[in-house]
């Protein structure tokens, strides 16, 4: 169960300056799928490319990225 959010964390809308970090987070998250049993077939997710810069820019422009 998720507890209360750490009060030292601050949520904000993403900016263009965040794009490279957002892509790195996506790659790291994908790698974690290699930890699942191989028979689940999730390892291929680890090889997915992160979202394109244009996709992230569109999300930033419409204020849907935090």
């Amino acid at each position: 169960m998720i507890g209360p959010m750490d009060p030292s964390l601050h949520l904000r809308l993403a900016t263009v300056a965040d794009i490279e970090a957002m892509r790195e987070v996506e790659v790291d998250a994908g790698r974690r799928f290699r930890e699942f049993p191989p028979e689940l077939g999730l390892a291929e997710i680890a090889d997915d490319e992160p979202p394109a810069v244009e996709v992230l820019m569109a999300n930033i422009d419409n204020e849907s990225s935090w």
Side-chain angles (χ1 to χ4, degrees), residues 12-34:
R12 62 172 174 75
L13 290 171
T15 68
V16 173
D18 297 317
I19 288 177
E20 194 54 38
M22 292 165 69
R23 295 188 65 175
E24 290 173 11
V25 166
E26 288 284 343
V27 169
D28 186 54
R31 277 191 216 118
R32 296 173 190 277
F33 281 90
R34 291 198 193 282

Side-chain angles (χ1 to χ4, degrees), residues 13-14 22 51 53-66:
L13 290 171
M22 292 165 69
V53 170
E54 297 80 15
V55 170
L56 295 173
M57 280 294 303
N59 291 340
I60 289 168
D61 289 345
N62 69 26
E63 299 183 344
S64 63
S65 286
W66 294 82

